[in-house]
Amino acid sequence: MASSEQSQQWTILSLQNWCVEYLKEKEIDSPKLTTDLLLCHVLKCKRIDLYSQFEKMLSKEELAHFKELFKRKLEHEPIQYITNEAHFMGLRFYVDKRVLIPRPETEILVSEALTILKSKSNEEIRILDIGTGSGNIPISIAHFQKNVFVDSIDISDDALSVAQQNVDRHEVTDRVHLKKCSVMNYQNKLGSHQYDMLVSNPPYISNSEFEMLSKDVKDFEPHLALNDEGDGLTFYKAITNLSHQLLKPNGWLLFEVAYNQSEEVKSILHEAKFHNIEAVLDLERIPRVIKAQKVSL
Ligand code: GLN
């Protein structure tokens, strides 16, 4: 808002109209939704409430707060970081720039895991999640399947502290345990434990593709969570490798993969003698999750 407009009184409606036009001019995605989400955050209300009080004036403090957030959006910061909120599997997660923003594609992985687990509702299920981030995968699986216990590892202290906040928020502290640990060096931390399922949405963007990411991803989301400093397949190989020790016979391994990685990941699993290897497609019919079962003894 230009300074001549600063002294102006703003109603919800006039501010919405002004911001939508401005965001369109600046080619920011979803101008109306973005404006509304920022307004809801500042006014601590639901989106529907904006429409039932169009003529409500913003106080000076509310306007100042809104302007501060609006400026961050103009720099292309993702809305989830600005409002500290992301929705995943119908649950609300706290997020900030220390963690990857949970994506709808990852919901496919969680749904597949829950489908497999449905038939095992009478036994205690042990899962290892690799690359916790915000904790979206272990928390949502534990939320929807009460007989599940998850060890969830990440090498980032920052990510683990966000994940702990979400574990507390969703009251799964007794069933989701976070550990600082790397897949490359896990023995001391995980011991000789064997799991019924391994799940991971690892950093899978290769060095060459990283440069092609959009500004809002590349400039704001944690590099560590996106890029494997290699060909994009580093973690699939490492996790498949550790599954020999950590996964029980007949146990399941579920990976999220990039739009172009499914064939390579399937062949990594094939070489490691997994069976029932299957790709699950997203709504655009792109293979996004690979699931596979370890052979029985
Ligand atoms: N598990 C988290 C997610 O799926 C974080 C993944 C990551 O940091 N690569 O969003």
Side-chain angles (χ1 to χ4, degrees), residues 88 99-103 106 129-138 154 200-204 224-226 256:
F88 184 80
V99 292
L100 196 78
I101 297 168
R103 302 290 202 276
T106 313
D129 166 52
I130 298 144
T132 308
S134 61
N136 55 331
I137 296 177
D154 205 296
S200 186
N201 173 23
Y204 56 61
L224 201 63
L226 293 164
E256 177 173 326

Side-chain angles (χ1 to χ4, degrees), residues 167-221:
V167 165
D168 297 342
R169 173 186 284 198
H170 292 287
E171 299 179 350
V172 285
T173 28
D174 50 342
R175 291 187 296 119
V176 176
H177 297 122
L178 305 173
K179 290 188 169 79
K180 183 173 178 172
C181 177
S182 144
V183 275
M184 310 300 177
N185 175 19
Y186 64 91
Q187 268 99 348
N188 304 342
K189 302 281 168 58
L190 300 175
S192 55
H193 214 86
Q194 282 209 314
Y195 295 90
D196 300 284
M197 184 180 270
L198 304 188
V199 290
S200 186
N201 173 23
Y204 56 61
I205 313 283
S206 64
N207 282 338
S208 53
E209 296 220 358
F210 187 79
E211 289 315 313
M212 283 147 40
L213 292 176
S214 64
K215 186 176 161 61
D216 52 343
V217 177
K218 194 168 51 172
D219 292 358
F220 291 95
E221 300 205 62

Side-chain angles (χ1 to χ4, degrees), residues 29 45 55 61 74 105 139 170 179 184 230 284 296:
D29 278 347
C45 69
E55 298 304 330
E61 293 72 28
L74 291 177
E105 292 81 3
I139 293 168
H170 292 287
K179 290 188 169 79
M184 310 300 177
E284 292 172 60
S296 54

